[in-house]
Amino acid sequence: MAEQRGRGRLPNNIGDFSGLLLVQLGLPAILFFELYEVLPTLYEGNPDVLYYGNLLICILFANTELSFWMTALKTSGLKSFAPELPARLKPGWVYCQWCKLNAPPRSSHCFSCQSCILRRDHHCVFTG
């Protein structure tokens, strides 16, 4: 089961992959434009404000990228923790005939990734 952990993290279709590229290439382009074009013209006479502005933008960008990749790499499928699922059905749980697993409440089967997903919280255009 550990060998499947890293597979399937990138989006499968072209629409989702283009959204991922937009986020990963668009945000750095905006960042560099702000750092090297906008801020120097706004704060020509005050280098302290320019320095702290650049520092703030870099911290916010690093936070955005870290949050993005933590969201994109988190799995929401049941197959990642299938050995921990109960062998008998608990109240509210259902048996998925496609995955052959007991699925917890509020989960449903996704036919594009062929697994049951908790709370249908995946397939975001920007995070894949």
Side-chain angles (χ1 to χ4, degrees), residues 23-44:
V23 169
Q24 289 304 303
L25 297 177
L27 285 178
I30 292 170
L31 171 77
F32 288 120
F33 177 74
E34 288 286 328
L35 287 178
Y36 297 113
E37 295 293 326
V38 175
L39 285 178
T41 58
L42 288 177
Y43 301 107
E44 287 179 30

Side-chain angles (χ1 to χ4, degrees), residues 1 3 8 19 28-30 44 50-51 56 66 70 96 102 115 119 121 127:
M1 193 59 67
E3 58 270 7
I30 292 170
E44 287 179 30
L50 183 61
Y51 172 75
L56 177 66
L66 179 67
M70 285 176 62
C96 178
N102 294 330
S115 68
R119 297 184 303 270
D121 61 349
T127 59

Side-chain angles (χ1 to χ4, degrees), residues 51-73:
Y51 172 75
Y52 289 116
N54 286 348
L55 183 65
L56 177 66
I57 287 175
C58 288
I59 290 172
L60 290 175
F61 178 72
N63 184 20
T64 303
E65 283 293 307
L66 179 67
S67 298
F68 171 80
W69 284 108
M70 285 176 62
T71 302
L73 295 178

